[in-house]
Amino acid sequence: MRPILASVAAAMCAAVLSDVSAGLSGAALAAVVAADCRPSAGVEPAMPSSWWEDASEVFYIVPTQWWEPAPADAFNVLLAPAALVEARRDYVPGDVSVASAEGEGWAVGVGPIGLAESDMWNVAPDRLGDLARRYMYLALVYPQSLWHGRAVMVMTDGGWPLLTSYGRTLLLGWSRLDPIDAREQTESAALGALQGNYNPFVTIPGLEEYLWGVHAGEPLPDTPADPVVPPAPAAVQLKARYSIAADSIIFFTSPYVPADASWTVDGVAVGESATLESLGTGSHEAAFTSPSAVGSMIFTVEP
Amino acid sequence: MSVARLLLPLAIAAVAAACSHGSPGLPGRPGANSSGSEHPDDALARELADPQMRVVTDNVTILYNSGGVIMGRSESGALFATDVTTDCRVDFNPAAPALYINGLEVEVSGVSIARTDGDVRWYVISTASPEAGRVIFVTRY
């Protein structure tokens, strides 16, 4: 990272980054961005977190078991509920389909990875993007020649492309579902100020799309301030049958259901939408609750 | 008699095919009322043996397990069943009692809870409309 004041690093980084990375793509883009945003000395301040109300224990987003030695980085550590710290172990991020432990804004359980199933964890829908952008930052800045344990489900050994197919699909999906907002920008800037760097996935909206997503292989525009995030998919009303290949996402919205309804699928709480991959193929029951009505519907997910 | 009720037979006939589309019913299901040679008591007994959430009339069949059918209960206690594919909707308020099929009121002459099993209730709704006939509304809500 260039020797600039930490307090202004976050504000300046977009301009700095555009100077060095415009026109690059793929591995070259990743290498330049990583070199530019890597902290010269990481810190581990267990920042009070707005993610959870009852946060009290130090929590590492990328588990310490995944790398040896685990680097110190403010973007990897925050305070979390003790129950989450205990239950998460070294599990991968993912769309939990059957929860074994859960609290306000988090769940640990099992869910699909391709055709298999794995222990995994996730957070509330309005934090999925925050979490995804932290994972992507850590994968980008700290490539490992040999990831340990369950990390190999998400990270690739030896650097580029940094993330496995599962990791790319999951984290890109979460980032699209929960775009950067002012709260995340504020939190990210505060962390960056502590260790004099920034998370490029927060300061350059849509960077991940140029690395792994819909713009993969295309050079990063020299005007990164322009919106590059692909438009959010239009909400499609609930229907009887879905195809993972054709639909990708299910939106829990219907003219027959109150707009303020909260939803579960097969008994597990979901947000306003969910990836069909996370639900898996087969028949599922979506149930809703609102102050004015309760109800449910069966739908089918096909490959 | 209201205009809506005058038009009801035509309305029910018009939506019948659409409402049954994608919800073909169980094999051998002739409808809520006996048809052919089946005795009415046999038809009702068969309905009471099936705990699947559904709404069945002679002309309208909405089967929850077929998928794409939202069934539930409003705050007021009114029950509803909507096929999101065909937009066919049946609303039934046991307390009133009041029955609407696709927004058109069907005159109710009698309601009974023919069976309960856990949360599941089998409502048998008698209507004054020969087109709607007897309506079976099975719900766990």
Side-chain angles (χ1 to χ4, degrees), chain A residues 256 285 292-296 298, chain B residues 64 68 71 73 75 87 140-141:
Chain A
Y256 304 111
E285 184 173 56
S292 57
V294 296
S296 56
I298 290 174
Chain B
Y64 180 78
M71 293 192 73
R73 172 178 46 82
E75 184 185 19
D87 292 325
R140 65 171 186 258
Y141 291 102

Side-chain angles (χ1 to χ4, degrees), chain A residues 138-155:
Chain A
L138 294 162
L140 178 76
V141 173
Y142 304 106
Q144 302 288 300
S145 58
L146 191 64
W147 287 97
H148 297 269
R150 298 173 193 262
V152 296
M153 300 181 194
V154 181
M155 316 293 205

Side-chain angles (χ1 to χ4, degrees), chain B residues 56-82:
Chain B
V56 181
T57 77
D58 274 353
N59 296 306
V60 177
T61 301
I62 299 178
L63 300 178
Y64 180 78
N65 287 359
S66 295
V69 171
I70 298 175
M71 293 192 73
R73 172 178 46 82
S74 71
E75 184 185 19
S76 66
L79 304 167
F80 54 86
T82 301

Side-chain angles (χ1 to χ4, degrees), chain A residues 249-289:
Chain A
I249 294 174
I250 178 173
F251 293 91
F252 299 104
T253 178
S254 169
Y256 304 111
V257 176
D260 61 352
S262 56
W263 289 85
T264 64
V265 172
D266 301 331
V268 178
V270 294
E272 296 176 350
S273 62
T275 60
L276 295 170
E277 183 92 31
S278 70
L279 300 179
T281 57
S283 182
H284 302 278
E285 184 173 56
F288 65 90
T289 304

Side-chain angles (χ1 to χ4, degrees), chain A residues 11 31 42 50 61 75 81 118 128 153 168 189 207 215 232 237 243 266 286:
Chain A
S50 62
I61 291 173
F75 287 106
S118 175
L128 287 176
M153 300 181 194
R168 295 194 298 272
L207 173 62
H215 295 304
Q237 295 171 358
S243 159
D266 301 331

